[in-house]
């Protein structure tokens, strides 16, 4: 179990975040403590704000009187609403906030159900309650609760807080909810620098992302639509606009995510591990299938893009350990699509591949990895729709270039 404590001065923002989940049926109020609210659990933001304002001291000696805590059980721990309520109440009491006004929400927007707590962290005089060694005490409390309720012990914090990433199963139903969970987890659980890389990542989890451009009343707009896919890479069902999932998966949000990812990859030298592993596999793999198998053992999936004639014109590596998605050209010229096309032609793959859909059929042109992507449990901002930004276009081979006709020079006498 992992608890994350945040403090701030914007009560409306904390309440709106959770209320938006409630409105989209991805959350509900479990209970309230010392709040002037009804008992049916159906509260508006206005009602909650008034209840907190009534109890908020006029004079404050801190700029951050608001407390926002998320408590995340291990993915394998399945808890009832009553158990989650008991855990929240005991956690707040041991941390020193048991007599404070607060609301407890249960979030179900990802498979790992968890709780959020919003409350006041100041006393009647406007002074913050004792928060010395708060994070240290919080860890001790969660360990005690794990033992008491027989829960799995927390792993590394960053891994435990990542949303669970699962392949979309169209036949299982509730497709919009499945797509939303997968897209959010992919967008914020991995780093990518182009829409093509983002698209390749989602394709590994049976989601197609497409960019939509147009004009309304003379004003241009850009957006994203997401669709479920089957294991053959074919679309299944109706597409879902990013706006129906949330701003966190909209066009602008995904663009911001790409910019931040680029900085993190450069500053953290996150390409080095992937480059080293791929280079080693290329030296020893005798076929494309063998290359894929060797990389998969190291936690890397590879996505090859081919045209109708079978020529490889793009390659993307999904490193599940480093949590980065990289086009081959980002790793260096020696990892470009042309190099892999020369190394592993169709005759060398030794396997049957899915045929890329023909243009005009409304299909996604990003082929999936040949195996189901690994599903590490661990997080999602903004998300956007499909575009070909950053994808590697087909390039002429050396032989093809030689065959091109030379331009004729007009001779003037």
């Amino acid at each position: 179990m992992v608890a994350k404590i945040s403090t701030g001065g914007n009560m409306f923002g904390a309440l709106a975040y959770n209320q938006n989940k409630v409105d989209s049926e991805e959350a509900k109020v479990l209970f309230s403590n010392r709040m002037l609210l009804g008992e049916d659990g159906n509260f508006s933001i206005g009602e909650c704000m008034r209840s907190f304002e009534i109890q908020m001291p006029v004079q404050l000696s801190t700029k951050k009187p608001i407390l926002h805590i998320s408590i995340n059980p291990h993915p394998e721990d399945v808890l009832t609403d009553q158990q989650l309520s008991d855990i929240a109440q005991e956690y707040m009491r041991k941390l020193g906030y048991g007599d404070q006004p607060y609301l407890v929400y249960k979030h179900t927007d990802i498979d790992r159900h968890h709780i959020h707590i919003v409350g006041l962290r100041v006393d009647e005089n406007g002074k913050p309650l004792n928060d010395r060694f708060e994070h240290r005490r919080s860890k001790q409390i969660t360990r005690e609760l794990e033992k008491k309720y027989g829960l799995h012990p927390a792993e590394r914090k960053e891994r435990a807080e990542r949303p669970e990433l699962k392949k979309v199963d169209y036949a299982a139903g509730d497709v919009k909810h499945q797509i939303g969970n997968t897209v959010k987890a992919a967008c914020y659980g991995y780093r990518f620098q182009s829409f093509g890389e983002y698209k390749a990542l989602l394709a590994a989890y049976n989601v197609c992302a497409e960019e939509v451009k147009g004009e309304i009343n003379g004003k241009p707009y850009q957006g994203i639509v997401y669709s479920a896919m089957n294991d053959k890479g074919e679309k299944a069902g109706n597409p879902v606009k990013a706006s129906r999932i949330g701003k966190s998966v909209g066009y602008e949000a995904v663009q911001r995510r790409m910019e931040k990812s680029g900085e993190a990859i450069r500053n953290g030298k996150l390409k080095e591990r992937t480059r080293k592993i791929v280079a080693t596999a290329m030296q020893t793999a005798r076929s494309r299938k063998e290359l894929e198998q060797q990389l998969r053992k190291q936690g890397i999936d590879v996505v090859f893009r081919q045209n109708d004639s079978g020529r490889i014109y793009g390659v993307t590596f999904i490193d599940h350990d480093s949590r980065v998605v990289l086009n081959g050209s980002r790793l260096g010229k020696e990892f470009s699509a042309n190099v892999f096309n020369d190394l592993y032609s169709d005759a060398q793959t030794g396997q049957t591949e899915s045929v890329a859909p023909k243009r005009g059929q409304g299909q996604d042109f990003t082929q999936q990895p040949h195996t189901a992507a690994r599903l590490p449990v661990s997080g999602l901002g903004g998300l956007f729709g499909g575009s070909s930004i950053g994808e590697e276009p087909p390039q002429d081979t050396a032989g093809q270039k030689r065959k091109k006709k030379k331009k004729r020079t007009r001779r003037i006498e």
Side-chain angles (χ1 to χ4, degrees):
M1 181 189 299
V2 174
K4 183 178 180 181
I5 303 173
S6 302
T7 60
N10 187 353
M11 174 60 77
F12 179 82
L15 290 173
Y17 170 79
N18 288 280
Q19 187 61 44
N20 287 338
K21 300 285 186 180
V22 173
D23 293 343
S24 60
E25 298 183 349
E26 295 178 331
K28 67 178 180 179
V29 177
L30 284 182
F31 75 93
S32 61
N33 187 68
R34 300 191 63 180
M35 295 286 290
L36 308 177
L37 300 169
E39 297 181 356
D40 59 357
N42 297 315
F43 318 126
S44 67
I45 293 181
E47 291 173 305
C48 295
M49 284 291 292
R50 284 191 292 271
S51 180
F52 279 119
E53 287 172 352
I54 290 173
Q55 303 181 71
M56 181 82 75
V58 177
Q59 298 293 331
L60 295 173
S61 59
T62 177
K63 294 182 179 180
K64 297 182 177 181
I66 312 305
L67 186 72
H68 193 174
I69 301 174
S70 66
I71 300 179
N72 306 271
H74 190 280
E76 295 180 15
D77 291 327
V78 180
L79 300 169
T80 65
D81 288 357
Q82 186 59 54
Q83 287 174 318
L84 289 172
S85 297
D86 292 343
I87 287 173
Q89 197 165 12
E90 189 169 348
Y91 175 88
M92 292 294 280
R93 178 176 57 80
K94 290 186 174 182
L95 197 59
Y97 297 105
D99 293 329
Q100 294 294 103
Y102 61 83
L103 277 167
V104 179
Y105 298 85
K106 175 186 176 182
H107 285 215
T108 58
D109 53 334
I110 58 176
D111 289 343
R112 174 178 49 77
H113 294 178
H114 55 288
I115 56 180
H116 281 247
I117 305 171
V118 179
L120 298 182
R121 58 184 291 268
V122 292
D123 60 20
E124 62 275 8
N125 298 315
K127 296 181 179 180
L129 298 182
N130 180 19
D131 60 356
R132 289 192 63 189
F133 309 111
E134 191 168 69
H135 292 279
R136 187 185 302 175
R137 290 189 286 117
S138 173
K139 287 184 179 180
Q140 181 60 38
I141 293 169
T142 55
R143 291 193 191 100
E144 294 172 358
L145 291 173
E146 287 169 352
K147 293 180 180 179
K148 179 176 179 178
Y149 290 89
L151 307 179
H152 290 80
E155 300 176 14
R156 293 187 321 180
K157 180 178 179 180
E158 61 270 21
R159 180 176 298 177
E161 289 183 348
R162 289 174 182 159
E164 185 175 4
L165 191 51
K166 296 178 65 176
K167 291 181 71 173
V168 169
D169 181 2
Y170 179 78
D174 198 8
V175 177
K176 172 181 168 289
H177 186 71
Q178 286 192 68
I179 291 176
N181 287 348
T182 298
V183 167
K184 291 174 185 176
C187 184
Y188 297 98
Y190 287 77
R191 300 184 191 278
F192 48 88
Q193 300 173 75
S194 72
F195 192 76
E197 290 169 341
Y198 177 59
K199 196 172 181 179
L201 171 63
L202 290 178
Y205 294 94
N206 286 1
V207 176
C208 169
E210 297 173 291
E211 185 180 18
V212 179
K213 295 182 180 181
E215 193 173 283
I216 298 180
N217 297 326
K219 295 182 178 180
Y221 72 87
Q222 289 178 301
I224 297 175
V225 293
Y226 298 98
S227 305
M229 296 194 300
N230 57 27
D231 289 331
K232 296 180 179 180
E234 302 166 336
K235 291 182 185 177
N238 297 321
V240 179
K241 292 182 180 179
S243 58
R244 291 187 59 201
I245 300 174
K247 290 184 178 179
S248 63
V249 294
Y251 182 83
E252 293 181 359
V254 175
Q255 293 289 335
R256 290 194 296 270
R257 178 63 178 170
M258 288 193 294
E259 292 176 6
K260 291 182 179 180
S261 294
E263 294 175 4
I265 290 173
R266 287 190 296 272
N267 297 336
K269 298 181 179 179
L270 300 181
K271 295 190 295 187
E272 303 310 314
R273 174 188 183 274
T274 310
R275 180 189 286 118
K276 185 181 296 185
I277 293 175
V278 174
T280 301
M282 290 173 67
Q283 292 175 0
T284 58
R286 292 167 295 181
S287 67
R288 177 168 148 184
K289 183 176 182 180
E290 191 172 327
L291 175 78
E292 293 171 342
Q293 291 173 341
Q294 289 187 26
L295 292 179
R296 200 175 308 124
K297 290 178 181 179
Q298 298 289 329
I300 298 175
D301 276 322
V302 56
V303 182
F304 288 104
R305 293 182 290 282
Q306 295 177 266
N307 60 22
D308 291 341
S309 64
R311 182 180 175 277
I312 297 174
Y313 68 85
V315 58
T316 302
F317 299 97
I318 304 173
D319 191 328
H320 297 290
D321 286 349
S322 298
R323 313 288 285 189
V324 294
V325 185
L326 299 161
N327 277 341
S329 56
R330 292 195 193 279
L331 297 179
K333 292 182 179 179
E334 63 271 33
F335 304 98
S336 68
N338 280 339
V339 172
F340 285 99
N341 186 68
D342 293 339
L343 283 175
Y344 310 119
S345 64
D346 285 346
Q348 293 175 298
T349 60
Q351 60 184 3
T352 303
E353 297 189 88
S354 57
V355 178
K358 295 182 179 180
R359 296 184 182 276
Q361 291 181 334
Q363 298 289 339
D364 175 46
F365 290 92
T366 302
Q367 290 191 340
Q368 300 184 69
H370 294 286
T371 74
R374 303 190 333 153
L375 308 177
V377 176
S378 32
L380 316 195
L383 281 160
F384 65 100
S387 142
S388 58
I389 301 173
E391 288 192 6
E392 298 167 326
Q395 300 176 4
D396 291 324
T397 62
Q400 289 174 321
K401 289 180 180 178
R402 286 194 297 268
K403 291 180 180 179
K404 286 187 174 182
K405 294 182 179 179
K406 295 182 180 179
K407 291 184 179 180
R408 294 183 177 178
T409 302
R410 186 177 180 182
R411 187 176 178 181
I412 301 177
E413 297 181 353

